[in-house]
Amino acid sequence: MKIALAQANPTVGDFTGNLAKIISASQRAAGSGARLTLFPELSLCGYWPADLLEKPSFLDRCVSALDELRQATASLPTAVLLGVALPAPADSGKCAVNAAVLLDKGHILLEQHKMLLPFYDVFDEQRYFAPATSQQVIDFEGERLAITICEDAWNDKDFWPQRLYPIDPVEDIMRQRPTLLLNISASPFWHGKRQTRYRMLAALAQRHRIPVFICNQVGGNDSLIFDGSSFGMTAAGTLLAQAASFREDIVMADSAALDGVPIPQPRDWDEEDRTAEETEAAYQALVLGTRDYVLKTGFSKVLIGLSGGIDSALVAAIAVDALGAENVLGVGMPSQYSSTGSVDDSRQLATNLGIRFETLPIAALYHEFAGTLDPLFTGTSPDLTEENLQSRIRGTLLMALSNKFSTLVLTTGNKSEMAVGYCTLYGDMVGALAVIGDLVKTRVYALAHWVNRKGEIIPRAILTKAPSAELRPDQKDTDSLPPYEILDPILEAYVERYESTARIVAAYGFPSSVVEHVVRLVERTEYKRQQAAPVLKVTAKSFGMGRRFPIAARAQV
């Protein structure tokens, strides 16, 4: 039996568009001889629907869309396996079930519900879905199919040192002696995730001596990025077919011949080597996440405040690859403290990228603001207030351009800045999407060097200058913060892995006073992060919906 893995890029709630994608891909797969075509988890309604699942009209549309698909594929020689949310049983106490539905020749052959409902990090499935209480294998074309949904294949006791659930759906269903294990997923990308996914399913295939096929979603939906990377593997755990990463793709495999040709995959970050360059996978993820966020929200153009620094330069490079140079506007907003080099560097970056560049000097506006405030500020000395005022003027100008020309503002703050609050509410934090908000500063530099791997896109002057907000004379980031080579490891340990200050001091040998200072900065700036633009998630723990802390708290940690 020929099996097609059709990794789709759905849009949440766009039933018409999602149906068109699934029908078209099914027709292509059928034309290539596929007898069975797999689509991702919740591909008919899009992942993640969140509170849309609580709307009866949304679930009604899921049901009607599934019926439309059943009729549209009735004449095709390929069966279709896909994911969709459906109404839950009335006595379940939940609104929906996360279902995998097998359609063939106009009939529903199987409706299998998801059993393990994740409720950690970005996942919130227990809030909405009723879990399956049983599983069944189905006979199809001489094979016995075991159909699982994403997390149901992620609880192998021989792979994980600590399991999240007391049951293993795969182990249970193997008692029914299936011959193929199929998994439809919406498994988000972060660094190292693809390798983990592959190693886990290879171990599962070897343990149960069964070929495994996974079809994973691709695309960006809000903060989440899905890499695709669908694959089939033999019972020995060797790869027999693999789809592309970070784009829609269909890959074919034969369950009898167990053949197929994998394609080269971009490597992930080496998480053990903190000085390693950002790789193609990291860059492609951010490009995909940016493109889909902009286009799926109904926009086509973006604008970026170009400061002459590394952060805005990297965001501009990503935006150009995501949307095309003609859809990116760079805006320089020099103040009396901005160096000539910063403006020149921004202009050179814009030339290298082929984007339009405009300048809006803010010195006169700053003096107008300062003059207006002067009667109330009498007797006080200049401090952060005046520095932040410059940033807020820039934010106002960017949002004015956004309103006038229906263009989204991309914020340029990195994870290091967001973590310690080295950013200004209603200033440099304004915008629709924090493209690099999950990259600490040292990784921003690494990815910028990767952008320049074939030639200078980001000017060398930007790569080599000392980081500075340029809000006062001769300002440097290190005036307020430890060097990023020290700050970033502390933040990765404390923010991403929840390690204690004592453990961080012991692990890295940094002075305890430095570590404690950084931790205090993180704890007291939660209010800023909860007002920030959505962050594209590329690490295991990003700011946003997967990291939830109170604002009005005095955490004694």
Side-chain angles (χ1 to χ4, degrees):
M1 179 172 63
K2 286 189 175 181
I3 298 174
L5 305 176
Q7 59 186 37
N9 182 352
T11 299
V12 174
D14 181 12
F15 292 96
T16 301
N18 297 342
L19 267 170
K21 282 179 179 285
I22 293 169
I23 293 169
S24 175
S26 298
Q27 292 169 339
R28 289 170 54 199
S32 298
R35 181 63 184 95
L36 174 62
T37 304
L38 275 60
F39 291 91
E41 176 183 13
L42 297 186
S43 51
L44 190 54
C45 59
Y47 189 103
W48 173 236
D51 277 12
L52 287 172
L53 292 165
E54 296 183 343
K55 291 189 173 185
S57 59
F58 182 83
L59 294 176
D60 289 345
R61 188 66 182 97
C62 287
V63 173
S64 64
L66 181 62
D67 190 60
E68 290 177 49
L69 180 63
R70 178 188 60 79
Q71 297 179 55
T73 58
S75 61
L76 294 180
T78 184
V80 173
L81 174 65
L82 83 164
V84 62
L86 296 173
D91 60 352
S92 69
K94 301 292 183 178
C95 49
V97 293
N98 186 337
V101 179
L102 180 62
L103 305 171
D104 189 37
K105 295 181 172 58
H107 301 285
I108 295 178
L109 302 186
L110 178 70
E111 181 184 315
Q112 176 64 58
H113 300 168
K114 191 173 184 178
M115 184 167 285
L116 302 183
L117 303 175
F119 191 59
Y120 57 86
D121 194 53
V122 298
F123 304 108
D124 204 6
E125 295 194 22
Q126 292 180 25
R127 174 171 175 165
Y128 307 98
F129 292 131
T133 56
S134 63
Q135 299 175 102
Q136 66 181 97
V137 166
I138 183 170
D139 293 312
F140 184 80
E141 294 293 321
E143 302 280 4
R144 288 177 57 77
L145 308 181
I147 296 171
T148 60
I149 305 174
C150 204
E151 192 89 351
D152 287 348
W154 283 70
N155 205 40
D156 184 351
K157 66 177 182 291
D158 289 342
F159 184 82
W160 299 105
Q162 182 176 355
R163 297 196 301 166
L164 296 178
Y165 312 90
I167 60 172
D168 180 0
V170 171
E171 186 174 57
D172 291 345
I173 203 170
M174 290 305 298
R175 297 188 180 99
Q176 300 181 44
R177 300 184 181 279
T179 58
L180 295 177
L181 177 62
L182 309 180
N183 183 268
I184 60 172
S185 283
S187 177
F189 168 83
W190 55 75
H191 303 297
K193 183 72 170 290
R194 292 182 307 160
Q195 283 81 352
T196 299
R197 193 187 298 135
Y198 179 84
R199 288 188 292 105
M200 179 198 66
L201 292 177
L204 187 150
Q206 293 165 350
R207 176 187 172 199
H208 296 292
R209 299 180 182 178
I210 187 171
V212 175
F213 296 83
I214 175 174
C215 185
N216 188 39
Q217 182 173 310
V218 69
N221 279 321
D222 293 353
S223 293
L224 299 182
I225 303 168
F226 300 88
D227 58 277
S229 311
S230 306
F231 60 80
M233 60 173 50
T234 68
T238 57
L239 190 68
L240 62 91
Q242 183 160 12
S245 291
F246 307 112
R247 63 176 174 85
E248 290 186 313
D249 195 18
I250 299 177
V251 66
M252 302 286 296
D254 194 313
S255 65
L258 293 182
D259 59 7
V261 181
I263 67 171
Q265 297 294 300
R267 296 170 297 170
D268 279 323
W269 266 334
D270 182 353
E271 291 290 347
E272 299 302 319
D273 183 356
R274 297 182 185 277
T275 64
E277 286 190 352
E278 310 287 8
T279 62
E280 184 181 356
Y283 192 79
Q284 285 187 0
L286 293 173
V287 168
L288 175 60
T290 300
R291 178 189 302 122
D292 276 3
Y293 186 93
V294 173
L295 299 182
K296 289 182 179 182
T297 54
F299 291 84
S300 60
K301 297 180 180 295
V302 298
L303 63 98
I304 303 160
L306 296 183
S307 66
I310 190 70
D311 298 322
S312 59
L314 178 58
V315 171
I318 291 168
V320 167
D321 280 344
L323 301 163
E326 69 278 10
N327 293 313
V328 180
L329 169 64
V331 182
M333 293 167 286
S335 74
Q336 63 270 36
Y337 303 119
S338 300
S339 65
T340 302
S342 292
V343 178
D344 292 342
D345 294 341
S346 296
R347 184 174 288 108
Q348 184 61 55
L349 171 72
T351 298
N352 294 351
L353 291 172
I355 67 174
R356 177 184 167 195
F357 179 68
E358 300 289 348
T359 57
L360 298 174
I362 69 165
L365 288 171
Y366 172 76
H367 289 303
E368 287 290 333
F369 270 80
T372 300
L373 291 166
D374 187 61
L376 297 180
F377 283 5
T378 299
T380 65
S381 300
D383 55 18
L384 283 174
T385 304
E386 283 75 15
E387 294 182 24
N388 290 339
L389 183 57
Q390 298 167 66
S391 182
R392 290 182 174 124
I393 291 171
R394 290 175 172 134
T396 298
L397 294 176
L398 289 175
M399 292 310 301
L401 293 171
S402 173
N403 291 161
K404 179 63 71 175
F405 300 111
S406 298
T407 304
L408 289 184
V409 177
L410 300 183
T411 68
T412 59
N414 59 65
K415 193 173 191 176
S416 303
E417 295 170 345
M418 290 183 67
V420 297
Y422 196 63
C423 47
T424 304
L425 277 174
Y426 327 118
D428 58 332
M429 292 180 68
V430 302
L433 181 68
V435 175
I436 60 171
D438 203 20
L439 302 180
V440 293
K441 187 77 167 190
T442 49
R443 288 180 166 173
V444 170
Y445 275 102
L447 194 48
H449 282 290
W450 185 86
V451 169
N452 282 3
R453 70 199 181 281
K454 294 181 180 179
E456 186 175 284
I457 301 297
I458 297 175
R460 177 175 173 77
I462 291 178
L463 288 166
T464 57
K465 71 176 63 173
S468 171
E470 292 193 331
L471 298 175
R472 63 174 183 265
D474 301 318
Q475 183 181 26
K476 301 290 186 292
D477 287 5
T478 49
D479 297 342
S480 305
L481 302 172
Y484 288 109
E485 292 75 16
I486 295 175
L487 177 64
D488 288 353
I490 296 173
L491 293 176
E492 289 174 321
Y494 188 71
V495 172
E496 296 180 12
R497 301 191 295 274
Y498 294 159
E499 294 181 8
S500 67
T501 54
R503 183 169 180 177
I504 296 170
V505 169
Y508 295 100
F510 300 142
S512 59
S513 59
V514 173
V515 176
E516 290 167 0
H517 174 62
V518 171
V519 167
R520 284 195 297 271
L521 289 175
V522 174
E523 291 301 323
R524 75 186 192 190
T525 52
E526 183 62 31
Y527 74 100
K528 287 189 177 183
R529 291 186 289 273
Q530 292 199 26
Q531 298 181 67
V535 173
L536 290 181
K537 178 180 173 65
V538 291
T539 69
K541 184 64 66 175
S542 64
F543 293 127
M545 61 182 178
R547 187 180 183 276
R548 307 174 191 181
F549 284 89
I551 295 174
R554 295 180 181 178
Q556 298 176 352
V557 293

